[in-house]
Amino acid sequence: PAEGTIVVTGEPVPTIEWHVGDIEPGQSRSVTFRVKVPSITHQSTWTNQGSTTYTNNPEGPDTPIPSNEVVIEGQPGEPKLEIHKSQAVLDGVPEGEPIDYTREPLVAEANSTLIYQLQVSNDSDTDALDVVVTDKIPVTEGVSLVYVADSAMSDNGVAGVEQGGTITWSLGTLPAHGTRVMAFKVQVPTVTQDTAWTNVATVTSPNTPDTPPSEEVKVESPVPQLLIEKLHRVGAESEFTKDLLHVERDGVVTYQLVVTHDPADPKPADAKGLHVTDVVPTAPSGAPYGYVSDSLWGAVVDGAGATVEGRAVSVAYDGESRTVSCDADLLLPGEKLIISFDVRVPAVREYTRWT
């Protein structure tokens, strides 16, 4: 190695100078330096050439004598994409408030709105090209979550396109160490049995190795388990029963309907919009019970039998169809909806049975 002074000048691309002194005939000097190849996103080429000057050069002391060129070629590394998925129930979340996303299973009732969030990241020093994200709207036993039209968007303004139950985002280039966030909304349909939907998303890029799909997220829509019982009694002092009762003319029979929201249901869900009907009996012989005016009432009670205040319960009797009806807005697990009405026994000429 040559001895002497080393001077590095120039930014951002420096020039290195070695001042090595005199070189006698037949002698040589060698100098070396090292460089580090930077991170690159595409194939790159670096060309390097040195030169020397000396004071007694016949061409002049400042005329450089160039060396040969040397070339280095660099290939970019492969992008490393990851995709993650989370979800949230939007019901009750005010507009503009933060959304509490989770990857844990969720419970959502019919007509609830869900939002799915997808995050794609490129954890590498190389751009990922022509990135495409796809997400198939979940279907379970032929029942699909319902896509909310025009809800598929991304943080860079690229809208997702829904076609045939699959949403696709064409994101273009995802820069090295870049991230994109997408989201779309669905509504939970009404189902007749407990139903669960699972969902994953995928990402592809032509210059990226196969990327595993996102984690699976799950949403369940349990169906309320309701039980209904019909009871009756004769006289206000007797107990309600399901057994056969014997009645006399002008006797008053009280019917009671009890709708119970089963507290033992392993996946309890609120029962909403209850509508209960009952027809005042007429015997096969044609003898009708007489409905007692203003005897109809209904209430929601808790597990201890106390009336739950603030619940909307309405009752009505239609004389033309002889139908009693009751509507309640809500029944929580463990609660009961109780409906009661009175009928009067008519005069009959033969043994008669009412059911």
Side-chain angles (χ1 to χ4, degrees):
E3 297 179 356
T5 304
I6 300 175
V7 180
V8 181
T9 61
E11 290 294 344
V13 180
T15 297
I16 306 173
E17 296 181 358
W18 289 265
H19 297 268
V20 298
D22 299 335
I23 302 178
E24 297 179 2
Q27 292 184 336
S28 64
R29 295 284 187 270
S30 64
V31 294
T32 61
F33 68 99
R34 296 177 182 176
V35 293
K36 185 176 181 179
V37 178
S39 298
I40 55 176
T41 59
H42 54 275
Q43 181 175 330
S44 302
T45 300
W46 293 270
T47 301
N48 184 249
Q49 184 179 42
S51 65
T52 184
T53 61
Y54 58 102
T55 57
N56 58 341
N57 182 358
E59 300 295 329
D62 297 322
T63 302
I65 301 173
S67 73
N68 59 292
E69 291 185 343
V70 291
V71 178
I72 296 176
E73 288 187 351
Q75 297 290 339
E78 291 181 330
K80 182 181 178 182
L81 293 180
E82 290 185 356
I83 183 167
H84 297 286
K85 184 160 191 180
S86 55
Q87 59 185 355
V89 178
L90 285 182
D91 298 357
V93 179
E95 187 73 25
E97 290 294 314
I99 298 173
D100 186 17
Y101 289 101
T102 181
R103 294 171 187 164
E104 297 299 318
L106 291 177
V107 174
E109 298 178 354
N111 301 316
S112 295
T113 299
L114 302 177
I115 184 168
Y116 287 115
Q117 184 184 77
L118 299 82
Q119 180 172 300
V120 177
S121 59
N122 180 6
D123 186 20
S124 73
D125 297 327
T126 305
D127 294 351
L129 307 177
D130 299 326
V131 174
V132 175
V133 174
T134 57
D135 197 318
K136 187 174 182 180
I137 298 171
V139 179
T140 297
E141 296 183 359
V143 180
S144 172
L145 296 176
V146 182
Y147 173 64
V148 177
D150 302 324
S151 66
M153 294 299 297
S154 68
D155 60 352
N156 67 340
V158 175
V161 177
E162 188 276 328
Q163 186 173 14
T166 298
I167 304 172
T168 303
W169 289 266
S170 298
L171 300 177
T173 298
L174 182 57
H177 304 288
T179 298
R180 286 285 177 265
V181 178
M182 294 132 284
F184 69 98
K185 299 175 185 176
V186 294
Q187 281 193 323
V188 178
T190 299
V191 292
T192 57
Q193 60 183 0
D194 292 353
T195 305
W197 294 270
T198 57
N199 185 244
V200 297
T202 60
V203 59
T204 60
S205 168
N207 69 325
T208 305
D210 291 342
T211 302
S214 72
E215 50 274 285
E216 183 179 83
V217 294
K218 180 179 181 181
V219 62
E220 299 175 273
S221 184
V223 175
Q225 301 298 314
L226 301 182
L227 308 174
I228 185 168
E229 291 183 297
K230 181 77 175 282
L231 307 170
H232 58 179
R233 71 181 181 185
V234 177
E237 303 301 322
S238 60
E239 297 290 332
F240 282 102
T241 180
K242 299 177 185 177
D243 297 336
L244 175 67
L245 294 179
H246 297 280
V247 295
E248 297 179 353
R249 176 182 176 178
D250 291 329
V252 174
V253 177
T254 300
Y255 282 114
Q256 186 179 80
L257 292 131
V258 181
V259 180
T260 303
H261 193 325
D262 187 4
D265 183 4
K267 298 178 181 177
D270 299 346
K272 298 180 179 180
L274 287 82
H275 180 67
V276 183
T277 60
D278 193 4
V279 177
V280 176
T282 298
S285 63
Y289 270 153
Y291 171 73
V292 177
S293 299
D294 301 325
S295 66
L296 176 61
W297 64 270
V300 174
V301 300
D302 60 22
T307 300
V308 179
E309 301 296 336
R311 295 290 175 80
V313 178
S314 61
V315 294
Y317 175 69
D318 180 58
E320 183 175 351
S321 64
R322 294 173 51 80
T323 300
V324 170
S325 64
C326 177
D327 293 283
D329 62 342
L330 179 66
L331 197 66
L332 300 181
E335 294 180 342
K336 297 180 180 181
L337 173 62
I338 299 178
I339 304 137
S340 177
F341 63 95
D342 296 339
V343 295
R344 190 173 299 278
V345 180
V348 294
R349 296 182 178 180
E350 57 186 355
Y351 177 80
T352 304
R353 176 176 288 194
W354 293 269
T355 57

